[in-house]
Amino acid sequence: MTALSSTDKPAAQSILEKIGAGNIVLLVLLALYPAVASGFFLTQIGAYSLILGMISLSLMLLAGYGGMVSLAQISVAGLAGYTVAIFGLNNSGVHGFGWPFWIVVPFATLIGAIASALIGVISNRTEGIYTIMITLAIATAFFYFTQQNYSLFNGFPGYTGIRAPEFWGVNWRDPMPFYYLCLGFSVIAYAAVLYGSRSTYGLTLQAVRDNPRRMRALGFNVTAHKVVAYFYAGIIAGLAGVLLVWFNGRISPGTINVGAAINVLIIAVIGGMRHPIGPFLGAVVVVLMQTFAIDIVGAERFNTLIGMFFLVIVFVSPDGLLGLWGRIKPHLAQESLRSGP
């Protein structure tokens, strides 16, 4: 019995070390958040932050681990959302084939992942600012295409009346169930990216980011590694797109415009691109500012406020809020600060 307990104890410690005490505490706090939050804060702050965090997480995966800054992730999420509207149910009287959600959701996610991989194939021959520009061009072209195409995307009005499903006796569009639905998908996406970054593929992708020429000389297929990263990022963005269309109850070209594409980049940069938690942190900050700061500075000056905050973060800490915390943390851990006189 003693030997068994001593064997289980290191195993439990090993699991705890892999997950991280901070991640466990954060998950518990997020799980208890509905106990103290109203319906408005659950959906408009909590769920919306998690959705935007997932889209920004897909960008962080590409930029942080692969060195590929893509501004087309909102387009991938939007394509998945349009797929839900077209093949599911809507009130627009256009398409709405009525497929069940358990078919529509995986299908929409797969469509988003394939589209993201194709974007990776197109932008693979570019680097740095050229990758940003070509993915921005793709996002802009997709925005105008959805706005002008009525046969498939229903043009400017888009699709309305898109509802989250009801199953297991639960209406998943109610504030608390929808929050937990977004939290569940976010935890899965976060854990997948964190685990993937420590896997053989993740380490190889980071090596490709640092020195692609050397990795190619060692026999690695650099192009394939980048395209696969786009595919994985597309899965995350596609799932977020499904949640986004359920959150809004509609989807239109305004959901995927150029401003939305740039907002995803702003969220990722504000939070920090060195760790998967950064995009979620940035999403909370931006959503709070969008919700409350607009009443203080007005709608006309709100974008100026966001821009100023973004510039301050970039100048003070290029690694975002996580980088700022990384600078402050060593000073807080000094003995002189922790001990009394």
Side-chain angles (χ1 to χ4, degrees):
M1 180 67 71
T2 304
L4 182 61
S5 61
S6 61
T7 304
D8 292 341
K9 188 174 181 181
Q13 291 178 347
S14 177
I15 295 175
L16 182 62
E17 290 175 357
K18 289 182 179 180
I19 298 176
N23 289 331
I24 295 177
V25 172
L26 179 61
L27 179 59
V28 171
L29 292 176
L30 290 174
L32 296 177
Y33 176 66
V36 297
S38 63
F40 173 82
F41 278 89
L42 279 179
T43 54
Q44 300 298 323
I45 304 298
Y48 191 39
S49 297
L50 292 171
I51 294 171
L52 291 182
M54 286 183 64
I55 301 176
S56 302
L57 177 65
S58 68
L59 171 59
M60 178 268 156
L61 190 157
L62 294 173
Y65 296 134
M68 303 167 288
V69 181
S70 171
L71 293 184
Q73 296 311 108
I74 190 64
S75 302
V76 174
L79 181 59
Y82 269 110
T83 304
V84 172
I86 293 171
F87 291 94
L89 294 173
N90 66 75
N91 292 343
S92 300
V94 181
H95 300 306
F97 298 133
W99 289 12
F101 76 92
W102 50 271
I103 295 179
V104 170
V105 173
F107 181 68
T109 304
L110 180 62
I111 292 295
I114 293 174
S116 181
L118 291 176
I119 294 172
V121 172
I122 295 172
S123 61
N124 176 64
R125 296 183 179 275
T126 62
E127 294 181 359
I129 187 65
Y130 300 103
T131 302
I132 298 176
M133 296 306 298
I134 195 171
T135 52
L136 179 60
I138 292 172
T140 304
F142 183 64
F143 162 68
Y144 283 111
F145 180 71
T146 57
Q147 191 175 42
Q148 298 170 5
N149 181 280
Y150 281 83
S151 60
L152 181 61
F153 295 104
N154 200 31
F156 182 79
Y159 293 93
T160 60
I162 306 167
R163 300 180 181 88
E166 296 183 18
F167 60 95
W168 296 338
V170 178
N171 182 5
W172 292 93
R173 187 56 185 91
D174 289 341
M176 186 176 296
F178 187 71
Y179 168 79
Y180 280 119
L181 183 66
C182 294
L183 179 61
F185 278 119
S186 299
V187 169
I188 293 173
Y190 172 80
V193 172
L194 193 61
Y195 175 80
S197 66
R198 302 169 182 174
S199 67
T200 302
Y201 168 76
L203 296 176
T204 305
L205 181 64
Q206 294 172 61
V208 168
R209 173 201 63 194
D210 295 336
N211 199 327
R213 183 176 298 179
R214 176 174 294 181
M215 295 300 291
R216 191 176 287 110
L218 291 174
F220 289 93
N221 192 330
V222 172
T223 300
H225 277 77
K226 291 184 177 181
V227 173
V228 169
Y230 271 96
F231 182 83
Y232 288 153
I235 293 177
I236 297 174
L239 283 173
V242 173
L243 295 173
L244 183 63
V245 75
W246 286 346
F247 171 79
N248 291 323
R250 59 169 296 148
I251 187 167
S252 65
T255 309
I256 56 173
N257 58 22
V258 178
I262 296 176
N263 280 341
V264 172
L265 176 62
I266 290 175
I267 289 172
V269 172
I270 288 177
M273 289 193 181
R274 296 298 183 102
H275 194 277
I277 199 63
F280 294 100
L281 180 61
V284 171
V285 172
V286 171
V287 169
L288 287 173
M289 292 180 67
Q290 288 178 343
T291 306
F292 300 107
I294 196 171
D295 296 329
I296 301 175
V297 300
E300 297 179 354
R301 299 179 180 178
F302 173 71
N303 288 330
T304 303
L305 177 64
I306 289 287
M308 292 178 60
F309 185 78
F310 176 78
L311 288 176
V312 169
I313 290 295
V314 170
F315 281 120
V316 174
S317 175
D319 294 335
L321 294 176
L322 283 180
L324 189 61
W325 169 248
R327 293 182 180 183
I328 297 175
K329 188 177 179 180
H331 298 286
L332 296 178
Q334 290 180 2
E335 186 68 25
S336 59
L337 294 179
R338 289 189 286 109
S339 60

